[in-house]
Amino acid sequence: MSASQTSSSDVPADVPTLLVKIFGKDRPGITAGLFDTLAAYSVDVVDIEQVVTRGRMVLCALVTEPPPGLEGDLRSTVHSWAESMKMQAEIISGRGDNRPRGLGRSLVTVLGHPLTAEATAAIAARITKTGGNIDRIFRLAKYPVTAVEFAVSGVETEPLRTALVTDAARLGIDVAVVAAGLYRRAQRLVVMDVDSTLIQDEVIELFAAHAGCEDKVAEVTAAAMRGELDFEQSLHARVALLEGLDASVVDKVRSEVRLTPGARTLIRTLKRLGYQVGVVSGGFTQVTDDLKERLGLDFAHANTLEIVDGRLTGKVTGEIVDRAGKARLLRRFAAEAGVPLSQTVAIGDGANDLDMLNAAGLGVAFNAKPVVREAAHAAVSFPFLDTVLYLLGVTREEVEAADILDVG
Protein backbone atom coordinates (compact mmCIF):
# COMPACT_ATOMS: atom_id res chain seq x y z
CA MET A 1 0.00 0.00 0.00
CA SER A 2 1.12 3.55 -0.56
CA ALA A 3 0.28 6.83 1.08
CA SER A 4 -3.11 8.09 0.00
CA GLN A 5 -5.69 10.67 0.97
CA THR A 6 -9.25 11.37 -0.09
CA SER A 7 -11.96 13.71 1.09
CA SER A 8 -15.74 13.83 0.72
CA SER A 9 -18.10 16.78 0.75
CA ASP A 10 -18.07 19.23 3.64
CA VAL A 11 -19.63 18.12 6.92
CA PRO A 12 -21.28 20.75 9.15
CA ALA A 13 -19.11 21.70 12.11
CA ASP A 14 -21.73 20.56 14.64
CA VAL A 15 -22.20 17.03 13.22
CA PRO A 16 -20.72 14.35 15.53
CA THR A 17 -17.89 12.38 13.92
CA LEU A 18 -15.46 9.64 14.92
CA LEU A 19 -11.77 9.48 14.07
CA VAL A 20 -10.84 5.80 13.72
CA LYS A 21 -7.09 5.17 13.78
CA ILE A 22 -5.57 1.75 12.97
CA PHE A 23 -1.83 1.11 13.25
CA GLY A 24 0.49 -1.86 13.11
CA LYS A 25 2.22 -4.16 10.61
CA ASP A 26 1.01 -3.60 7.06
CA ARG A 27 -0.56 -6.50 5.19
CA PRO A 28 -3.11 -6.99 2.40
CA GLY A 29 -6.76 -6.53 3.36
CA ILE A 30 -6.43 -4.10 6.27
CA THR A 31 -8.14 -1.19 4.56
CA ALA A 32 -10.95 -3.32 3.13
CA GLY A 33 -11.40 -5.07 6.48
CA LEU A 34 -11.77 -1.84 8.42
CA PHE A 35 -14.39 -0.43 6.09
CA ASP A 36 -16.25 -3.75 5.95
CA THR A 37 -16.44 -3.53 9.74
CA LEU A 38 -17.64 0.09 9.68
CA ALA A 39 -20.17 -0.60 6.93
CA ALA A 40 -22.34 -2.56 9.36
CA TYR A 41 -23.01 0.68 11.26
CA SER A 42 -24.20 2.82 8.30
CA VAL A 43 -21.52 5.49 8.72
CA ASP A 44 -20.39 7.84 5.95
CA VAL A 45 -16.74 8.42 5.14
CA VAL A 46 -15.64 12.04 5.61
CA ASP A 47 -11.87 11.67 5.17
CA ILE A 48 -9.23 8.95 4.82
CA GLU A 49 -5.48 9.05 5.14
CA GLN A 50 -3.12 6.10 5.01
CA VAL A 51 0.67 6.00 5.31
CA VAL A 52 3.06 3.04 5.23
CA THR A 53 6.63 3.46 6.47
CA ARG A 54 9.02 0.49 6.54
CA GLY A 55 6.15 -1.95 6.66
CA ARG A 56 4.29 -0.18 9.47
CA MET A 57 0.87 1.20 8.61
CA VAL A 58 -1.15 4.09 9.99
CA LEU A 59 -4.72 4.26 8.63
CA CYS A 60 -7.02 7.08 9.74
CA ALA A 61 -10.72 7.22 8.83
CA LEU A 62 -12.95 10.14 9.79
CA VAL A 63 -16.56 8.93 9.71
CA THR A 64 -19.98 10.18 10.77
CA GLU A 65 -21.39 8.97 14.05
CA PRO A 66 -23.47 5.76 13.79
CA PRO A 67 -27.21 5.74 14.61
CA PRO A 68 -28.13 6.36 18.27
CA GLY A 69 -27.21 3.57 20.62
CA LEU A 70 -24.67 1.91 18.29
CA GLU A 71 -21.48 3.83 19.03
CA GLY A 72 -20.46 1.59 21.90
CA ASP A 73 -20.98 -1.51 19.80
CA LEU A 74 -19.00 0.05 16.90
CA ARG A 75 -16.09 0.79 19.20
CA SER A 76 -16.06 -2.73 20.62
CA THR A 77 -16.33 -4.33 17.18
CA VAL A 78 -13.52 -2.22 15.69
CA HIS A 79 -11.20 -3.00 18.61
CA SER A 80 -11.98 -6.73 18.34
CA TRP A 81 -11.39 -6.73 14.60
CA ALA A 82 -8.09 -4.83 15.00
CA GLU A 83 -6.94 -7.31 17.65
CA SER A 84 -7.78 -10.23 15.35
CA MET A 85 -5.56 -8.62 12.71
CA LYS A 86 -2.78 -8.02 15.29
CA MET A 87 -3.27 -4.29 14.89
CA GLN A 88 -4.06 -1.54 17.41
CA ALA A 89 -7.07 0.78 17.25
CA GLU A 90 -7.87 4.20 18.67
CA ILE A 91 -11.25 5.92 18.29
CA ILE A 92 -11.72 9.60 19.14
CA SER A 93 -15.06 11.43 19.27
CA GLY A 94 -15.38 14.90 17.85
CA ARG A 95 -17.46 17.16 15.64
CA GLY A 96 -17.28 18.13 11.99
CA ASP A 97 -14.48 17.72 9.46
CA ASN A 98 -10.80 18.68 9.70
CA ARG A 99 -10.23 22.35 10.33
CA PRO A 100 -9.93 24.33 7.08
CA ARG A 101 -6.38 24.83 5.81
CA GLY A 102 -5.05 28.35 6.00
CA LEU A 103 -4.74 30.51 2.91
CA GLY A 104 -1.52 30.08 0.98
CA ARG A 105 -0.60 26.60 -0.18
CA SER A 106 2.96 25.62 -0.97
CA LEU A 107 5.01 22.51 -1.60
CA VAL A 108 8.44 22.45 0.01
CA THR A 109 10.90 19.94 -1.42
CA VAL A 110 13.95 19.16 0.71
CA LEU A 111 16.97 17.28 -0.68
CA GLY A 112 19.70 15.88 1.55
CA HIS A 113 22.57 13.42 1.29
CA PRO A 114 22.02 12.49 4.02
CA LEU A 115 18.92 14.29 5.25
CA THR A 116 19.71 14.70 8.94
CA ALA A 117 17.24 14.95 11.81
CA GLU A 118 18.82 18.31 12.68
CA ALA A 119 18.10 19.73 9.22
CA THR A 120 14.56 18.35 9.23
CA ALA A 121 13.88 19.88 12.64
CA ALA A 122 15.21 23.24 11.48
CA ILE A 123 13.03 23.23 8.35
CA ALA A 124 9.92 22.28 10.33
CA ALA A 125 10.64 24.97 12.94
CA ARG A 126 11.17 27.61 10.25
CA ILE A 127 7.86 26.72 8.59
CA THR A 128 6.12 27.18 11.94
CA LYS A 129 7.86 30.52 12.60
CA THR A 130 6.63 31.88 9.25
CA GLY A 131 3.05 31.09 10.27
CA GLY A 132 2.77 27.96 8.15
CA ASN A 133 1.29 24.60 9.05
CA ILE A 134 2.64 21.27 7.78
CA ASP A 135 -0.35 19.36 6.44
CA ARG A 136 1.48 16.36 5.07
CA ILE A 137 4.99 14.98 4.46
CA PHE A 138 5.78 12.55 1.65
CA ARG A 139 9.04 10.94 0.54
CA LEU A 140 9.85 11.41 -3.15
CA ALA A 141 13.14 9.53 -3.34
CA LYS A 142 15.62 7.64 -1.21
CA TYR A 143 18.54 7.67 -3.67
CA PRO A 144 20.78 9.08 -5.00
CA VAL A 145 19.56 11.64 -2.47
CA THR A 146 16.79 11.62 0.11
CA ALA A 147 13.99 13.87 -1.12
CA VAL A 148 10.89 14.69 0.91
CA GLU A 149 7.99 17.00 0.17
CA PHE A 150 6.14 19.07 2.78
CA ALA A 151 2.62 20.29 1.96
CA VAL A 152 2.33 23.61 3.80
CA SER A 153 -0.63 25.95 4.27
CA GLY A 154 -1.19 29.23 6.06
CA VAL A 155 1.64 31.26 4.56
CA GLU A 156 2.24 32.67 1.08
CA THR A 157 4.85 31.01 -1.11
CA GLU A 158 7.33 33.88 -1.54
CA PRO A 159 8.00 34.68 2.15
CA LEU A 160 8.18 30.96 2.89
CA ARG A 161 10.71 30.47 0.09
CA THR A 162 12.82 33.38 1.29
CA ALA A 163 12.93 32.03 4.83
CA LEU A 164 13.74 28.44 3.91
CA VAL A 165 16.28 29.08 1.15
CA THR A 166 18.22 31.28 3.57
CA ASP A 167 18.53 28.34 5.96
CA ALA A 168 19.30 25.70 3.34
CA ALA A 169 22.99 26.47 2.72
CA ARG A 170 23.72 26.61 6.45
CA LEU A 171 22.05 23.24 6.96
CA GLY A 172 23.81 21.56 4.03
CA ILE A 173 20.58 20.75 2.21
CA ASP A 174 18.73 21.96 -0.87
CA VAL A 175 15.24 23.43 -0.63
CA ALA A 176 12.69 24.37 -3.29
CA VAL A 177 9.39 26.09 -2.55
CA VAL A 178 6.65 26.26 -5.18
CA ALA A 179 2.98 27.18 -5.09
CA ALA A 180 0.66 24.19 -4.83
CA GLY A 181 -2.22 23.79 -7.23
CA LEU A 182 -3.32 22.41 -10.56
CA TYR A 183 -0.27 23.71 -12.41
CA ARG A 184 2.24 21.56 -10.49
CA ARG A 185 1.97 18.76 -13.04
CA ALA A 186 0.70 20.84 -15.97
CA GLN A 187 2.67 20.87 -19.21
CA ARG A 188 5.86 22.84 -18.79
CA LEU A 189 8.88 24.04 -20.68
CA VAL A 190 12.29 23.25 -19.19
CA VAL A 191 15.29 25.19 -20.52
CA MET A 192 18.86 24.39 -19.50
CA ASP A 193 22.25 25.96 -19.80
CA VAL A 194 24.73 23.59 -21.45
CA ASP A 195 28.30 24.02 -20.20
CA SER A 196 28.69 22.65 -16.64
CA THR A 197 24.93 22.01 -16.50
CA LEU A 198 23.71 19.63 -19.20
CA ILE A 199 27.31 18.60 -19.84
CA GLN A 200 30.31 18.38 -17.54
CA ASP A 201 32.60 20.33 -19.87
CA GLU A 202 33.24 23.89 -21.04
CA VAL A 203 33.09 23.59 -24.82
CA ILE A 204 35.43 26.49 -25.52
CA GLU A 205 38.08 24.68 -23.46
CA LEU A 206 37.64 21.52 -25.52
CA PHE A 207 38.26 23.49 -28.71
CA ALA A 208 41.19 25.30 -27.09
CA ALA A 209 42.83 22.00 -26.19
CA HIS A 210 42.92 21.06 -29.87
CA ALA A 211 44.32 24.49 -30.78
CA GLY A 212 46.96 24.30 -28.05
CA CYS A 213 45.82 27.56 -26.46
CA GLU A 214 44.23 26.40 -23.20
CA ASP A 215 46.35 28.78 -21.09
CA LYS A 216 45.47 31.83 -23.19
CA VAL A 217 41.76 30.97 -23.10
CA ALA A 218 41.99 30.56 -19.33
CA GLU A 219 43.60 34.02 -19.05
CA VAL A 220 40.71 35.61 -20.95
CA THR A 221 38.19 33.74 -18.83
CA ALA A 222 39.90 34.96 -15.65
CA ALA A 223 39.82 38.55 -16.91
CA ALA A 224 36.10 38.23 -17.57
CA MET A 225 35.54 36.88 -14.06
CA ARG A 226 37.40 39.87 -12.65
CA GLY A 227 34.99 42.14 -14.50
CA GLU A 228 37.61 43.44 -16.93
CA LEU A 229 35.67 42.08 -19.92
CA ASP A 230 31.96 41.51 -20.47
CA PHE A 231 30.73 38.21 -21.88
CA GLU A 232 30.65 39.33 -25.50
CA GLN A 233 34.18 40.75 -25.33
CA SER A 234 35.51 37.60 -23.70
CA LEU A 235 33.70 35.39 -26.22
CA HIS A 236 35.25 37.20 -29.19
CA ALA A 237 38.69 37.17 -27.54
CA ARG A 238 38.58 33.43 -26.85
CA VAL A 239 37.15 32.46 -30.23
CA ALA A 240 39.85 34.54 -31.97
CA LEU A 241 42.41 32.14 -30.49
CA LEU A 242 40.83 29.29 -32.51
CA GLU A 243 41.54 30.92 -35.88
CA GLY A 244 42.89 28.46 -38.45
CA LEU A 245 41.78 25.34 -36.62
CA ASP A 246 40.66 22.61 -39.04
CA ALA A 247 36.87 22.15 -39.06
CA SER A 248 37.31 18.42 -38.50
CA VAL A 249 37.88 19.30 -34.85
CA VAL A 250 34.12 19.79 -34.46
CA ASP A 251 33.48 16.06 -34.65
CA LYS A 252 36.31 15.42 -32.19
CA VAL A 253 34.85 17.89 -29.69
CA ARG A 254 31.39 16.39 -30.05
CA SER A 255 32.81 12.97 -29.18
CA GLU A 256 34.57 14.39 -26.12
CA VAL A 257 31.49 16.02 -24.61
CA ARG A 258 30.42 14.27 -21.40
CA LEU A 259 26.81 14.46 -20.32
CA THR A 260 26.19 15.28 -16.67
CA PRO A 261 25.09 12.19 -14.68
CA GLY A 262 21.30 11.99 -14.76
CA ALA A 263 20.94 14.18 -17.86
CA ARG A 264 19.43 11.46 -20.04
CA THR A 265 17.06 10.36 -17.26
CA LEU A 266 15.92 13.94 -16.70
CA ILE A 267 15.19 14.61 -20.36
CA ARG A 268 13.63 11.21 -21.01
CA THR A 269 11.29 11.57 -18.02
CA LEU A 270 10.32 15.14 -18.87
CA LYS A 271 9.44 14.12 -22.42
CA ARG A 272 7.29 11.25 -21.13
CA LEU A 273 5.42 13.74 -18.96
CA GLY A 274 4.67 15.80 -22.06
CA TYR A 275 7.08 18.60 -21.21
CA GLN A 276 9.09 20.42 -23.86
CA VAL A 277 12.82 20.72 -23.27
CA GLY A 278 15.38 23.12 -24.67
CA VAL A 279 18.92 24.38 -24.19
CA VAL A 280 20.51 27.81 -24.48
CA SER A 281 24.24 28.26 -24.46
CA GLY A 282 26.99 30.79 -24.65
CA GLY A 283 28.84 27.97 -26.41
CA PHE A 284 28.39 26.89 -30.00
CA THR A 285 25.69 25.49 -32.25
CA GLN A 286 28.24 23.01 -33.60
CA VAL A 287 27.75 21.19 -30.27
CA THR A 288 24.23 22.15 -29.21
CA ASP A 289 22.69 21.07 -32.54
CA ASP A 290 24.25 17.66 -32.06
CA LEU A 291 22.93 17.47 -28.49
CA LYS A 292 19.47 18.45 -29.70
CA GLU A 293 19.43 15.57 -32.17
CA ARG A 294 20.94 13.00 -29.80
CA LEU A 295 18.69 13.83 -26.85
CA GLY A 296 15.47 14.65 -28.69
CA LEU A 297 15.34 18.25 -27.50
CA ASP A 298 12.63 20.60 -28.72
CA PHE A 299 14.72 23.78 -28.76
CA ALA A 300 18.40 24.68 -28.93
CA HIS A 301 20.17 27.97 -29.49
CA ALA A 302 23.80 29.04 -29.13
CA ASN A 303 26.53 31.06 -30.81
CA THR A 304 27.89 29.78 -34.13
CA LEU A 305 31.56 29.39 -34.98
CA GLU A 306 32.26 30.73 -38.46
CA ILE A 307 33.85 28.16 -40.77
CA VAL A 308 35.27 29.13 -44.17
CA ASP A 309 37.10 26.78 -46.54
CA GLY A 310 37.16 24.05 -43.93
CA ARG A 311 38.77 26.12 -41.18
CA LEU A 312 37.58 28.16 -38.20
CA THR A 313 37.94 31.88 -38.87
CA GLY A 314 38.18 32.88 -35.22
CA LYS A 315 34.81 34.64 -35.43
CA VAL A 316 31.20 33.91 -34.48
CA THR A 317 28.19 34.69 -36.63
CA GLY A 318 24.67 35.78 -35.76
CA GLU A 319 23.18 37.16 -32.57
CA ILE A 320 25.36 36.67 -29.50
CA VAL A 321 23.82 34.52 -26.77
CA ASP A 322 24.81 36.30 -23.57
CA ARG A 323 23.14 36.74 -20.16
CA ALA A 324 20.28 38.88 -21.48
CA GLY A 325 20.05 36.73 -24.61
CA LYS A 326 19.36 33.60 -22.59
CA ALA A 327 16.37 35.25 -20.93
CA ARG A 328 15.07 36.44 -24.33
CA LEU A 329 15.39 32.91 -25.70
CA LEU A 330 13.51 31.48 -22.73
CA ARG A 331 10.63 33.83 -23.52
CA ARG A 332 10.83 32.98 -27.22
CA PHE A 333 10.79 29.25 -26.57
CA ALA A 334 7.85 29.64 -24.17
CA ALA A 335 5.86 31.57 -26.79
CA GLU A 336 6.62 28.95 -29.44
CA ALA A 337 5.71 26.14 -27.05
CA GLY A 338 2.49 27.83 -25.99
CA VAL A 339 3.53 27.68 -22.34
CA PRO A 340 3.06 30.63 -19.95
CA LEU A 341 6.32 32.00 -18.58
CA SER A 342 5.08 31.08 -15.09
CA GLN A 343 5.14 27.43 -16.17
CA THR A 344 8.76 27.47 -17.32
CA VAL A 345 11.73 25.98 -15.50
CA ALA A 346 15.26 27.25 -16.10
CA ILE A 347 18.40 25.44 -14.94
CA GLY A 348 21.88 26.94 -14.89
CA ASP A 349 25.10 27.29 -12.95
CA GLY A 350 26.71 30.65 -13.70
CA ALA A 351 26.14 34.39 -13.48
CA ASN A 352 25.44 34.31 -17.22
CA ASP A 353 22.27 32.35 -16.38
CA LEU A 354 20.88 34.73 -13.75
CA ASP A 355 18.46 36.66 -16.01
CA MET A 356 17.06 33.40 -17.34
CA LEU A 357 16.68 31.90 -13.86
CA ASN A 358 14.88 35.00 -12.60
CA ALA A 359 12.57 35.16 -15.61
CA ALA A 360 11.42 31.55 -15.29
CA GLY A 361 8.57 30.41 -13.09
CA LEU A 362 11.12 28.20 -11.31
CA GLY A 363 14.83 28.99 -11.57
CA VAL A 364 17.11 26.18 -10.42
CA ALA A 365 20.79 26.78 -9.62
CA PHE A 366 22.63 23.54 -10.42
CA ASN A 367 25.95 23.11 -8.58
CA ALA A 368 26.20 26.86 -8.89
CA LYS A 369 28.39 29.58 -7.52
CA PRO A 370 27.09 31.17 -4.26
CA VAL A 371 25.83 34.33 -5.99
CA VAL A 372 23.72 32.23 -8.36
CA ARG A 373 22.48 29.90 -5.64
CA GLU A 374 21.34 32.85 -3.53
CA ALA A 375 19.48 34.49 -6.42
CA ALA A 376 17.71 31.39 -7.77
CA HIS A 377 14.32 30.09 -6.63
CA ALA A 378 15.85 26.71 -5.79
CA ALA A 379 19.24 25.06 -5.73
CA VAL A 380 20.62 21.57 -6.32
CA SER A 381 24.11 20.92 -5.00
CA PHE A 382 24.34 17.25 -5.94
CA PRO A 383 26.06 16.11 -9.17
CA PHE A 384 22.96 14.38 -10.54
CA LEU A 385 20.87 16.40 -12.96
CA ASP A 386 17.81 14.16 -12.60
CA THR A 387 17.37 15.33 -8.99
CA VAL A 388 15.64 18.34 -10.55
CA LEU A 389 12.70 15.98 -11.16
CA TYR A 390 12.03 15.87 -7.42
CA LEU A 391 11.58 19.64 -7.40
CA LEU A 392 8.75 19.07 -9.87
CA GLY A 393 7.09 16.48 -7.63
CA VAL A 394 8.18 13.44 -9.66
CA THR A 395 9.13 10.47 -7.48
CA ARG A 396 12.00 8.04 -8.04
CA GLU A 397 9.46 5.21 -8.22
CA GLU A 398 7.63 6.98 -11.05
CA VAL A 399 10.87 7.41 -12.97
CA GLU A 400 11.76 3.75 -12.60
CA ALA A 401 8.25 2.57 -13.47
CA ALA A 402 8.32 4.65 -16.65
CA ASP A 403 11.67 3.12 -17.60
CA ILE A 404 10.30 -0.40 -17.13
CA LEU A 405 7.25 0.38 -19.28
CA ASP A 406 9.46 1.91 -21.96
CA VAL A 407 11.65 -1.20 -22.11
CA GLY A 408 8.59 -3.42 -22.18
Side-chain angles (χ1 to χ4, degrees):
M1 299 179 185
S2 60
S4 60
Q5 183 176 10
T6 64
S7 178
S8 69
S9 58
D10 290 340
V11 173
D14 60 345
V15 171
T17 53
L18 298 175
L19 175 61
V20 181
K21 180 180 178 182
I22 305 296
F23 48 98
K25 184 178 180 180
D26 183 34
R27 70 197 71 185
I30 297 296
T31 305
L34 172 62
F35 286 99
D36 277 343
T37 302
L38 293 172
Y41 296 91
S42 301
V43 299
D44 295 328
V45 176
V46 179
D47 200 0
I48 309 170
E49 186 159 357
Q50 176 177 301
V51 177
V52 177
T53 304
R54 210 180 66 179
R56 306 298 291 182
M57 172 192 203
V58 178
L59 169 60
C60 294
L62 184 64
V63 299
T64 55
E65 187 181 60
L70 294 181
E71 182 178 334
D73 190 49
L74 179 151
R75 287 174 176 268
S76 176
T77 302
V78 169
H79 279 285
S80 295
W81 168 82
E83 185 176 349
S84 73
M85 300 299 292
K86 298 182 180 180
M87 305 286 282
Q88 292 179 274
E90 181 180 5
I91 302 176
I92 304 171
S93 298
R95 290 186 176 276
D97 198 348
N98 305 308
R99 65 178 179 81
R101 293 179 179 178
L103 295 177
R105 307 280 179 83
S106 301
L107 296 170
V108 178
T109 305
V110 180
L111 308 179
H113 185 63
L115 179 59
T116 65
E118 178 186 7
T120 306
I123 290 296
R126 178 63 70 181
I127 290 172
T128 300
K129 288 179 182 178
T130 62
N133 183 72
I134 300 172
D135 300 318
R136 193 175 180 212
I137 305 174
F138 177 71
R139 187 178 71 182
L140 295 167
K142 59 184 178 181
Y143 69 92
V145 299
T146 300
V148 295
E149 182 177 271
F150 294 73
V152 177
S153 62
V155 60
E156 295 299 326
T157 299
E158 286 304 322
L160 180 62
R161 175 187 290 150
T162 300
L164 293 179
V165 170
T166 300
D167 287 346
R170 174 178 58 82
L171 296 169
I173 58 175
D174 292 329
V175 175
V177 183
V178 299
L182 292 174
Y183 294 111
R184 180 71 186 284
R185 287 291 190 94
Q187 185 188 51
R188 289 187 174 188
L189 167 68
V190 177
V191 176
M192 290 175 275
D193 173 45
V194 175
D195 292 11
S196 298
T197 300
L198 178 62
I199 66 174
Q200 301 177 60
D201 311 284
E202 294 289 330
V203 171
I204 185 66
E205 294 177 1
L206 296 179
F207 277 101
H210 288 282
C213 58
E214 301 102 312
D215 292 343
K216 292 182 179 179
V217 165
E219 289 175 7
V220 176
T221 300
M225 293 182 68
R226 291 194 299 268
E228 298 170 8
L229 299 171
D230 63 22
F231 176 80
E232 184 170 351
Q233 290 172 323
S234 67
L235 175 67
H236 287 304
R238 287 178 291 180
V239 171
L241 296 170
L242 306 179
E243 182 180 0
L245 198 60
D246 192 280
S248 63
V249 75
V250 170
D251 288 334
K252 295 177 183 177
V253 167
R254 286 175 175 173
S255 68
E256 293 167 350
V257 166
R258 300 168 299 162
L259 292 174
T260 297
R264 289 186 182 278
T265 300
L266 172 67
I267 294 168
R268 181 173 63 245
T269 304
L270 291 174
K271 298 294 288 182
R272 287 173 181 162
L273 289 171
Y275 289 21
Q276 297 187 61
V277 185
V279 293
V280 292
S281 176
F284 310 112
T285 57
Q286 282 82 1
V287 171
T288 57
D289 287 351
D290 180 61
L291 289 170
K292 180 182 180 183
E293 182 177 351
R294 285 166 51 196
L295 300 174
L297 302 174
D298 299 284
F299 304 97
H301 201 92
N303 302 302
T304 298
L305 292 169
E306 184 180 62
I307 298 176
V308 176
D309 297 330
R311 292 193 176 277
L312 276 63
T313 66
K315 299 178 182 178
V316 292
T317 61
E319 180 184 5
I320 298 298
V321 179
D322 55 8
R323 175 170 166 169
K326 288 187 174 184
R328 285 195 302 271
L329 287 164
L330 172 70
R331 294 186 176 93
R332 184 192 304 174
F333 293 168
E336 292 177 11
V339 175
L341 201 59
S342 61
Q343 288 300 109
T344 61
V345 179
I347 309 169
D349 73 295
N352 207 34
D353 301 311
L354 278 173
D355 289 4
M356 176 177 71
L357 298 181
N358 290 329
L362 176 64
V364 180
F366 180 72
N367 290 315
K369 300 173 180 64
V371 65
V372 181
R373 182 185 174 100
E374 292 168 8
H377 301 130
V380 171
S381 56
F382 306 102
F384 309 104
L385 195 55
D386 54 337
T387 54
V388 173
L389 290 168
Y390 308 143
L391 307 185
L392 306 179
V394 180
T395 69
R396 171 55 61 178
E397 288 79 8
E398 289 172 325
V399 174
E400 293 175 348
D403 284 341
I404 291 172
L405 289 173
D406 188 59
V407 171

